[in-house]
Amino acid sequence: MEHPVTTATVELRHYGHDDLPQIRQTLLDVHADAYADEMEDEFNQRFPWFVDHWGGNPGFSCVIGYDGSEPVGFAYGAPATPGREWWREHMPTPPPDDSTFSLSELMVRPKWRKTGTAEQLHTALLERRPEALAVLLVDPDHPKVQALYETWGYRKVGNRQPFPDSPNFAVMLRDLR
């Protein structure tokens, strides 16, 4: 039986759009481990499409955490398309600066969960962003994850189901400034 890591010393590496060919398989491998029990779900099986979709955005930004040479998790996203931000339909009056970074994925392999790795990846991805806001979607079947994001300064502004077979996600928004 594998023993969980209690505290992780994680090296954080930053990547962009041009790095996708080199990091794509790493992202897929981490996802396969993180969702090993849920890979029969068709929505999870489409993860390679999502990697290519997000990675194809010129503003794609990704942080991968490594424990030695082993990838332990990642966070990635890209600037939102102005006027099409996930929060827009839930806020009749947009903030004065509505520039938004969409956090698409934050994933940690099981062995490294509950070690602070997710927060390290999240912080590293967002700390230098020029946008005023960060938005993400959380599966409502994971209330502990939503509660964790709330401790990081996010607030729920509504719900959104981006695909017919996806959950009706909680839309969470955070000020970056």
Side-chain angles (χ1 to χ4, degrees):
M1 176 172 157
E2 276 193 48
H3 296 287
V5 177
T6 51
T7 55
T9 304
V10 176
E11 177 195 346
L12 302 172
R13 301 181 195 166
H14 292 261
Y15 301 94
H17 166 74
D18 294 340
D19 301 311
L20 186 63
Q22 294 92 330
I23 65 171
R24 185 178 187 273
Q25 191 60 50
T26 299
L27 299 178
L28 298 181
D29 292 346
V30 169
H31 176 265
D33 188 26
Y35 284 90
D37 298 339
E38 301 173 46
M39 285 309 292
E40 71 284 350
D41 183 306
E42 285 185 31
F43 188 69
N44 286 331
Q45 291 172 7
R46 290 211 314 268
F47 184 70
W49 180 88
F50 287 103
V51 168
D52 295 337
H53 172 77
W54 285 91
N57 184 312
F60 175 76
S61 182
C62 179
V63 175
I64 302 176
Y66 289 87
D67 184 350
S69 63
E70 195 161 4
V72 302
F74 61 81
Y76 73 66
T81 303
R84 296 189 53 211
E85 303 89 351
W86 296 333
W87 55 261
R88 178 117 3 221
E89 64 197 81
H90 306 292
M91 296 178 65
T93 306
D97 182 348
D98 62 0
S99 60
T100 304
F101 183 80
S102 299
L103 175 62
S104 174
E105 294 288 346
L106 174 59
M107 199 171 296
V108 176
R109 293 173 59 199
K111 184 178 168 185
W112 285 271
R113 290 182 185 152
K114 296 184 167 70
T115 64
T117 300
E119 188 170 11
Q120 289 176 29
L121 290 164
H122 175 267
T123 299
L125 182 65
L126 295 180
E127 66 188 354
R128 296 188 200 111
R129 294 303 315 169
E131 295 86 3
L133 304 166
V135 68
L136 55 81
L137 304 178
V138 179
D139 186 334
D141 290 343
H142 298 105
K144 289 181 180 175
V145 176
Q146 183 172 327
L148 178 65
Y149 285 131
E150 288 168 353
T151 69
W152 297 350
Y154 288 88
R155 66 190 185 280
K156 181 180 173 181
V157 296
N159 287 83
R160 182 169 203 273
Q161 186 171 8
F163 300 96
D165 62 342
S166 75
N168 189 16
F169 292 107
V171 178
M172 302 195 70
L173 190 64
R174 175 187 156 175
D175 294 319
L176 291 178
R177 300 195 177 129

